[in-house]
Amino acid sequence: MNSIHHIVIIGAGNVATHLADAFQQSGKKIDQIYSRSAVSAKNLATKLDCSYTTNINELNVNSELYLVAVKDEVLPEILKKIKLKKKLIVHTSGLHPMHLLKKCSENYGIFYPLQTLTIKRKINTNAIPICIEANSKTNQELLSDLAHLFTENVRIVDSEKRKILHLAAVFACNYTNHLYSIAEDILKNAEIPFNLLHPLIKETAEKAIETGPFEAQTGPARRNDLKVIQSHKKLLTNKEQKNIYSLLSKSIIKKYFQKDNENEKL
Amino acid sequence: MNSIHHIVIIGAGNVATHLADAFQQSGKKIDQIYSRSAVSAKNLATKLDCSYTTNINELNVNSELYLVAVKDEVLPEILKKIKLKKKLIVHTSGLHPMHLLKKCSENYGIFYPLQTLTIKRKINTNAIPICIEANSKTNQELLSDLAHLFTENVRIVDSEKRKILHLAAVFACNYTNHLYSIAEDILKNAEIPFNLLHPLIKETAEKAIETGPFEAQTGPARRNDLKVIQSHKKLLTNKEQKNIYSLLSKSIIKKYFQKDNENEKL
């Protein structure tokens, strides 16, 4: 069976940049970058030493894999404009189903990195789990082999499960980070440096990974300590922060004590 | 100046156990454990090879430090029963002010570990930041020296700032862990193993620590991608999870786009 060597990257954002990097580090050749933004396309193409285009009709026709890593909201529109006949095309979205790619080519699949990626931040490629799906066993193996070049963490995940995984990741990553951000805002107001919380943030993540989050839970709500919860709510002058505090404390108490009726006063 | 050698621990829960361990590992002598629960007192005393009591009036009178590590809700009641004249007494609460200790002794302070501690989970003592406060420079130095025996991370923090720090820690640790827990529940329902999220959880924490959470934010709400947000809300059948999803997505959009009026449809 052939393996993939020449790759076109459609997109030049966070995911496109990290995957293009990982492919190139694995010895693959990035042939071309497409982006609507000439600046982004040029930046990434310069970094990878390849050509770029801002015209979706000018994609290189001789490559072996076309990886579409664009924002979820523009993905369906872009896919409508891509016709590749038999060339293998994949998208990297956690949300969109595989069948969106049907009209692009006879060979298609998913290459979903389950990780928070930001252009500026370097990350060990082995810390990027890849979820694979494909329209055939052959394509699944091609994609799986490609992912295995830079990470040990490769999973076969169908579109339905991938959607759930993406949703769970929003809680475990995006919303978690937002809570860090709220903590930072609260400390800033009191002129307390955020780095006091670094060891706590690190240990909270490690503990949840090692013991599971259900066992790892601590804090006033876990103890059903309504006095502390009330004191904290009094301290919060920001209405939004107060609402988030209330909702999450109620949710923890419900989970561990299941006394729905007694939560009214929170 | 004298240093502290003989210590009585009042409490036998998560914080009491971890601090008693840290003191003992640093060469200090735990003289006695007090707990309302004979089982807990005995367990910890056996582990530390010391005596124990369930009678607060039978505290060892010859020790040098009395560390009160009990639940926030029972702390004020317990402190009312402790009279030590000049012996140094500290509590470990993030919430309660130092002046609660005034009636216990002439010498008092705070020894607040800013960490999530669970009896069963071992933790490197150097990962336990200690926030110190004391009624005198001498006591502050005694406590600071004691903390420095097992951690490099010792801070002087007054009662007002400690309260804010404790509140911020609830967001950064307890509520963060609860979001991991919600993610786990969502995956369980779809029979997807939680360990798929481990690399993401680890990287989310590391990224927030290294780049700061404001810069680190990613995800649908960060991109103001209302379509994805709507799809996720449709996937969530649990009303509580849906409410948490809504509130946090709104809060992120507000933070990065500040378009309050446009959030109605979320």
Side-chain angles (χ1 to χ4, degrees), chain A residues 47-61:
Chain A
K47 193 177 164 197
L48 300 165
D49 193 20
C50 69
S51 67
Y52 71 91
T53 180
T54 57
N55 184 346
I56 196 74
N57 299 313
E58 287 178 0
L59 294 183
N60 192 330
V61 289

Side-chain angles (χ1 to χ4, degrees), chain A residues 116 118 178 185 207 251 255, chain B residues 116 118 178 185 207 251 255:
Chain A
T116 171
T118 307
H178 186 55
D185 292 343
K207 188 167 149 185
S251 177
K255 182 160 207 158
Chain B
T116 171
T118 307
H178 186 55
D185 291 343
K207 189 168 148 184
S251 176
K255 183 160 206 159

Side-chain angles (χ1 to χ4, degrees), chain A residues 116 118 121 155 166 174 177-178 181 185 196 203 207 210 213 217-218 232 240 249 251 254-255, chain B residues 116 118 121 155 166 174-175 177-178 181 185 196 199 203 207 210 213 217-218 232 240 251 254-255:
Chain A
T116 171
T118 307
R121 177 167 165 82
R155 312 270 188 147
H166 182 240
N174 305 149
N177 185 74
H178 186 55
S181 209
D185 292 343
L196 262 85
E203 169 64 8
K207 188 167 149 185
E210 286 167 36
Q217 189 67 54
T218 55
H232 279 168
E240 189 178 85
S249 62
S251 177
K254 194 172 166 190
K255 182 160 207 158
Chain B
T116 171
T118 307
R121 178 170 165 82
R155 313 272 189 145
H166 182 240
N174 306 150
Y175 290 172
N177 185 74
H178 186 55
S181 209
D185 291 343
L196 263 85
E203 169 64 9
K207 189 168 148 184
E210 286 167 36
Q217 190 68 52
T218 54
H232 279 168
E240 190 179 86
S251 176
K254 193 172 166 188
K255 183 160 206 159

